[in-house]
Amino acid sequence: MSGMIDRFGRKITYLRISVTDRCDFRCIYCMPEHMTFLPRDEVLTLEELDRLCGAFVRKGVRRLRVTGGEPLVRRNVMWLFERLGERIGNGLNELTLTTNGSQLSRFAPALFAAGVRRVNVSLDTLDHARFRAITRWGDLAKVIAGIDAAQTAGLAIKINMVALRGVNDDEIPRMLEWAHGRGADFTLIETMPLGEVEHRIEQYLPLSLVRSRLAQQYTLTESAYRTGGPARYFQVAETGGRIGFITPLTHNFCETCNRMRVTCTGTLYMCLGQNDSADLRTPLRTSDDSGLLDGVIDEAIGRKPKGHDFIIDRRHREPALSRHMSLTGG
Ligand code: SAM
Ligand code: SF4
C-alpha cells in the first residue's frame, strides 16, 4: 500500500467527512435562517458512509474527522462512530469530530466508548444573548453543559472560534482564558467565503491583526505543535495553554495540505476552496466491488489542485464559492 500521493508530492492522510447537511443551529456566517436542505435520498446512508471511509482508510487515510452540518443530529450516527472506531488500530490512527456541542451531553460517553479521544467544539462567544444572535437557534447553556460532559467522559476539547469583526472580536482574550482555564486548546478561524450569507465582508477580520493585538497582552511563542490540521500554534505564557490560528486568507497553508473532504452526498472535494470534485456516490451505489470506487478516488487525487483561490475583496463581491460550509464540512 503506497498511500495516496498527489502530483505535488503531498501525501493525503486526513479525510474530513460530512455526515449530514442538517443542523440545529443557523450560524450567521454559515447558512441563512431559512436554509434549504438536501432531499434524503441524495445523502449517503450510514452504511455507505462506512464503506466510503473504509475505502479511504485502505488507501492511506490515518485521521478521520466527522463533521457536517451538525454530525450529532444525524439519526443513529453512533452506529457509524462505532463502525469507524473499529478501524482504529486497523489502518486508522485517529477518529475525531467537529460539533456545535448542542448534543454532547447526550453522546459524550458513547463517543469515548467508540474510540473518539478529541473533539472540536465550535463556540464563538460566552455571552448568552450574543450566542443566540450568532447561532440564531442555539442555547449557550446546553453547549457549556455538553463541553462539561465531554471533559468528564475523558474527551480532550479544542474550542474553535470564528473571529468576526464587530461581533465577537472584543471577546477573544476572555475566550482564550476561559478555554485554557478549563484545560482546552483554543483556535481562531477566519471566515471563509463559502456560500452566500449577509455581512461577510464587513465581518471579515484578518487574524494577523488579532495576533498582533494579542501579542501586546500575552507572551506568544511559536510552537512546533501540529494536530495534522491547518492551524499554526503559539504557546501562551500567561495561561499555560496553546492558541491556534487557522488563516486561509492571510496565510496560505496549501503547500502542506494533506487533506480532502467528502460531502454527505459523497462528493469528494480535493480542496475546500476549489470547485473541482469527484462523484463517489455513483460508484458506491452501482457496485459492491471496491474496484470502481478505488479507481474514481485515484483519478481524483491526480487532480488535487495546488491551492485555493479564496478572496474576500470589497471590489469583487461575487467570488464566494456557492456551496455552504455545512455541505462540505468544516
Ligand atoms: N456543526 C458543526 C460545528 O459547528 O462545529 C460542524 C460543522 S461546521 C460547518 C464546522 C466549522 O466550520 C465550525 O467551526 C464553524 O464555525 C465553521 N464555519 C462555518 N462556516 C464558516 C465560514 N464561512 N468560514 C469559516 N468557518 C466557518
Ligand atoms: Fe450548524 Fe456548524 Fe453551520 Fe453553525 S457552523 S450552522 S453549528 S453547521
Side-chain angles (χ1 to χ4, degrees), residues 22-27 29-31 68-70 100 122 135 326:
R22 287 162 200 260
C23 188
D24 52 347
F25 290 3
R26 291 289 181 278
C27 301
Y29 49 77
C30 181
M31 53 172 92
E70 174 47 43
N100 65 23
S122 306
T135 63
S326 54

Side-chain angles (χ1 to χ4, degrees), residues 130-305:
R130 204 179 256 188
F131 186 83
R132 178 52 68 117
I134 294 174
T135 63
R136 293 196 188 100
W137 294 5
D139 175 359
L140 178 61
K142 261 196 190 164
V143 173
I144 305 278
I147 295 171
D148 289 340
Q151 290 190 305
T152 304
L155 296 164
I157 296 289
K158 179 154 80 76
I159 302 293
N160 283 342
M161 173 184 187
V162 176
L164 301 162
R165 185 192 291 277
V167 176
N168 65 357
D169 47 343
D170 57 332
E171 266 191 274
I172 293 172
R174 178 179 176 214
M175 292 277 297
L176 167 80
E177 293 190 15
W178 178 83
H180 288 176
R182 51 189 303 149
D185 275 341
F186 178 67
T187 293
L188 286 166
I189 307 176
E190 276 172 353
T191 48
M192 294 173 230
L194 293 171
E196 289 303 328
V197 298
E198 289 174 25
H199 309 303
R200 173 111 61 217
I201 295 167
E202 298 81 55
Q203 291 174 352
Y204 170 63
L205 176 63
L207 291 187
S208 46
L209 185 66
V210 174
R211 205 172 77 205
S212 54
R213 276 191 208 150
L214 283 173
Q216 293 170 5
Q217 198 174 340
Y218 301 99
T219 317
L220 304 180
T221 313
E222 188 151 11
S223 147
Y225 178 76
R226 292 281 179 280
T227 58
R232 290 200 303 155
Y233 286 91
F234 291 77
Q235 193 66 34
V236 185
E238 289 76 5
T239 61
R242 261 189 303 258
I243 181 168
F245 295 89
I246 300 186
T247 55
L249 298 155
T250 52
H251 171 82
N252 191 309
F253 43 60
C254 303
E255 325 75 69
T256 56
C257 180
N258 61 350
R259 32 192 189 278
M260 298 204 301
R261 297 163 194 262
V262 180
T263 68
C264 58
T265 58
T267 304
L268 173 66
Y269 283 98
M270 289 72 90
C271 169
L272 175 65
Q274 299 278 359
N275 274 326
D276 191 23
S277 64
D279 168 30
L280 305 182
R281 188 177 61 193
T282 305
L284 257 177
R285 289 190 173 169
T286 48
S287 165
D288 283 340
D289 169 25
S290 61
L292 189 59
L293 179 61
D294 286 2
V296 177
I297 295 174
D298 289 341
E299 191 272 335
I301 305 281
R303 285 190 280 126
K304 183 169 162 66

Side-chain angles (χ1 to χ4, degrees), residues 69-94:
E70 174 47 43
L72 297 181
V73 302
R74 171 98 197 230
R75 246 187 41 199
N76 289 334
V77 76
M78 279 307 139
W79 179 88
L80 180 64
F81 276 102
E82 285 160 14
R83 297 294 80 68
L84 299 179
E86 287 164 6
R87 301 184 191 280
I88 299 171
N90 294 313
L92 191 64
N93 294 342
E94 192 183 37

